[in-house]
Amino acid sequence: MTTTESSIAAAEAHSAHNYHPLPVVVASAEGAWMTDIEGRRYLDLLAGYSALNFGHGNRRLIDAAKAQLDRVTLTSRAFHHDRFADFCTQLAELCGMEKVLPMNTGAEAVETAVKTARKWGYQVKGVPANQAKIVVARNNFHGRTTTIVSFSTDAEARADFGPYTPGFEIVPYGDLTALEEALTDNTVAVLLEPIQGEAGVLVPPAGYLPAVRELTRQRNVLFIADEIQSGLGRTGKTFACEHEGVVPDMYVLGKALGGGVVPVSAVVSSDEVLGLFRPGEHGSTFGGNPLACAVALEVIAMLKTGEYQQRATELGEHLHAELGLLIGGGAVEAVRGRGLWAGVDIAPSHGTGRQISEQLMAQGVLVKDTHGSTIRLAPPLVISKEDLDWGLDRLRAVLAG
Ligand SMILES: Cc1ncc(COP(=O)(O)O)c(C=O)c1O
C-alpha cells in the first residue's frame, strides 16, 4: 500500500462517507498549488468551492489570523470585542447595506436568511402566523440542514431526511412567469443563487434577475441573493447580481468571506429587516468571533481594492475564450459561467465528470465533477495566467485522450 492509499483507507474506516473525494491526500498548499503527502504537486482549479478565492496561504490573511490568534480568538457574543464593530461596518459598506448578522457556515447564513424573511413577513408585511412562504428555484443548492434540504430538488440530498420543513415553493430557475404565478399574499421572500453553482454554474437568462427584482419590489416580497459561492470576486464583480445591475434586499455570504482560513458567513440587509431581531431570538457561539472578524476584515479590504475582481474579469475572459474553443470538438457539449468560474459539460462518449476529474488529477490538476457529466472550474483568483494555461493544456490533453 502506498502512503496515499493507507491514509485514504484510514480515513474511510473512521469517517462517515458523506463525500466522495478524489484519491489525493493534500499535505500543504500555497497560492494555486497543492502538494500531496508523497510530494506531488497539483494545480488547484476548485479553490475549495470558491472559499479560497484569494489562494492558499494568502500572506495578508494568514498574517491577520496570526496577529489575532495572539490577542483574543473568542468572546462569544456575551461580550463585545474590539473587531466586531469594524467588521460589521466594513461589510455593510461593501454591500451598500446597513446591517450585518454574522454566522459561520453558508448553511447557517441561509437558515438565518429564512428566519429573517419569515420574521419580516409576520412583523412588517402582516402575513398571518405560520403562513409565510418562500419561493426558491429548482436545482438550487443552499446547504445541507434539514430545513434547507426540505426545499432541495436533489433526490440524494433529501432522501431519508424527512419530515421536511414546510413553507417553500419551488419554481424553475430562470422562468419569470412561473415565479410570478408562485407569489401569493403570504410570500415573504424569493431566495435565489444569482448563478447556480452546484447545479453546474448555470447563468440565468439575461434580464431574469432585474425582472425578479422588479417583481419582488412590486409585490412587497424580499429578494434574497445567496452569493455564498458567486460572490466576493468570483465572477469579476464583488457580487454576481452586479452584472445585471441588481441590488437585492439581502445578501447571504460565506465561503471566501473567511478567506479559506476560518468559516465566516453573514446575512447583510437593511435596518428595516435585520433591525427586527431582539436579544435571544437568534445566535451562534462562534458567529462574529474576533478571529473570524480579523480575517474577514482583511478579505473586505482586499475586495475594496477591486484588484481581485479585475483579475477574475481578465483571466475569466481568457478562460471562457479557451473553453469555448473546445465546444464542437466532440468532448465538450457546453460551457457556462462568468468570470473565473465555469461549468463544462463532458460528452458521455468521453467519460463521466468523475472520470475526467480523475484523469486530470493524474496530470496534476484538481477539479471536481457535479451532476454526473459536468466539471467545475473555479481557480483561486490569484492564479497566474501561465498556471491557468498550463491547467488548460492538461484539460485539452485529457479530453483528446
Ligand atoms: C450557493 C451556496 N449556498 C450555500 C452553501 C452552503 O455553504 P456551507 O457548505 O458553508 O454550509 C453553498 C455551498 O456550496 C453554496 O454554494
Side-chain angles (χ1 to χ4, degrees):
M1 245 195 197
T2 63
T3 322
T4 298
E5 283 163 353
S6 51
S7 175
I8 292 172
E12 301 235 311
H14 299 291
S15 69
H17 292 183
N18 55 332
Y19 278 91
H20 184 27
L22 290 175
V24 56
V25 182
V26 176
S28 63
E30 195 181 348
W33 290 88
M34 299 207 267
T35 305
D36 76 5
I37 46 169
E38 297 187 53
R40 288 180 292 252
R41 296 185 79 224
Y42 302 86
L43 184 65
D44 179 6
L45 295 188
L46 182 68
Y49 300 99
S50 286
L52 287 151
N53 278 2
F54 309 99
H56 294 274
N58 184 291
R59 230 30 281 159
R60 283 182 68 169
L61 300 179
I62 299 296
D63 286 349
K66 282 185 174 163
Q68 192 60 43
L69 280 170
D70 285 335
R71 292 179 61 220
V72 57
T73 53
L74 187 69
T75 55
S76 81
R77 295 286 304 284
F79 314 115
H80 293 277
H81 67 77
D82 66 359
R83 313 308 304 265
F84 190 67
D86 215 12
F87 164 70
C88 295
T89 310
Q90 298 294 324
L91 184 58
E93 191 185 299
L94 183 80
C95 298
M97 297 204 177
E98 290 156 342
K99 273 194 160 54
V100 169
L101 203 172
M103 300 297 285
N104 310 283
T105 64
E108 283 175 291
V110 172
E111 288 273 357
T112 303
V114 167
K115 286 176 73 175
T116 307
R118 286 180 171 183
K119 193 176 218 344
W120 174 86
Y122 299 126
Q123 296 193 352
V124 178
K125 185 168 174 171
V127 172
N130 298 322
Q131 299 298 311
K133 286 265 192 283
I134 295 179
V135 179
V136 298
R138 191 179 291 160
N139 296 326
N140 70 71
F141 187 86
H142 297 286
R144 301 291 199 173
T145 63
T146 40
T147 285
I148 294 173
V149 300
S150 296
F151 57 85
S152 168
T153 52
D154 177 351
E156 251 178 278
R158 283 170 56 89
D160 296 335
F161 298 126
Y164 302 111
T165 307
F168 299 94
E169 292 289 330
I170 301 168
V171 296
Y173 189 60
D175 182 339
L176 192 70
T177 312
L179 179 66
E180 193 165 4
E181 282 168 5
L183 299 182
T184 70
D185 290 347
N186 291 343
T187 308
V188 296
V190 172
L191 166 63
L192 294 176
E193 298 157 84
I195 294 178
Q196 286 192 324
E198 299 303 300
V201 196
L202 298 185
V203 183
Y208 176 66
L209 295 175
V212 173
R213 173 65 288 185
E214 194 43 40
L215 189 60
T216 47
R217 192 173 281 131
Q218 282 168 7
R219 301 288 294 269
N220 195 23
V221 167
L222 298 176
F223 181 5
I224 307 174
D226 179 347
E227 293 253 17
I228 287 169
Q229 195 165 160
S230 59
L232 309 185
R234 171 58 52 196
T235 66
K237 303 269 189 202
T238 306
F239 304 107
C241 282
E242 285 177 63
H243 289 280
E244 300 252 7
V246 163
V247 179
D249 297 299
M250 198 188 297
Y251 285 118
V252 190
L253 304 174
K255 294 197 194 279
L257 190 56
V261 180
V262 280
V264 187
S265 66
V267 164
V268 188
S269 187
S270 62
D271 270 333
E272 181 198 321
V273 173
L274 280 178
L276 295 172
F277 278 104
R278 296 285 163 261
E281 291 176 347
H282 191 57
S284 155
T285 303
F286 285 89
N289 69 72
L291 183 59
C293 290
V295 173
L297 272 166
E298 208 57 35
V299 165
I300 296 163
M302 286 159 72
L303 284 168
K304 282 188 175 170
T305 68
E307 183 192 328
Y308 298 89
Q309 295 87 328
Q310 181 75 16
R311 286 189 72 79
T313 300
E314 286 168 15
L315 289 173
E317 273 167 21
H318 178 63
L319 173 72
H320 284 281
E322 293 296 321
L323 292 175
L325 296 174
L326 298 174
I327 301 169
V332 169
E333 293 190 332
V335 178
R336 293 170 303 274
R338 198 161 247 167
L340 214 38
W341 198 20
V344 180
D345 291 345
I346 307 294
S349 53
H350 280 69
T352 62
R354 173 78 186 190
Q355 286 165 336
I356 298 294
S357 302
E358 285 174 355
Q359 288 166 27
L360 278 168
M361 191 192 101
Q363 298 284 321
V365 174
L366 295 178
V367 299
K368 196 69 171 61
D369 54 297
T370 183
H371 292 283
S373 58
T374 302
I375 57 167
R376 227 167 341 161
L377 305 180
L381 309 183
V382 296
I383 193 171
S384 69
K385 181 163 179 295
E386 293 69 35
D387 286 346
L388 182 61
D389 279 333
W390 185 86
L392 285 166
D393 279 344
R394 303 273 102 49
L395 177 63
R396 279 186 283 266
V398 162
L399 294 175

